[in-house]
Amino acid sequence: MKKIIALVAVAGAVLFFVKRSRSTKADADLWREATAPTD
């Protein structure tokens, strides 16, 4: 039982960090687009 709980906790943490890093990348891309010079 403890192994299952540990696996679920690890999977949740991994998903959380992947989601966070993706949203950070998207924010950086948006900022780059917004601040790019318009020619």
Side-chain angles (χ1 to χ4, degrees):
M1 188 68 184
K2 285 184 182 177
K3 283 184 181 178
I4 293 173
I5 293 172
L7 284 173
V8 169
V10 169
V14 168
L15 285 174
F16 174 76
F17 282 115
V18 167
K19 190 175 179 185
R20 215 173 79 176
S21 68
R22 280 190 187 161
S23 67
T24 302
K25 186 175 183 292
D27 286 348
D29 289 344
L30 280 173
W31 181 254
R32 201 175 297 117
E33 273 186 35
T35 57
T38 54
D39 288 345

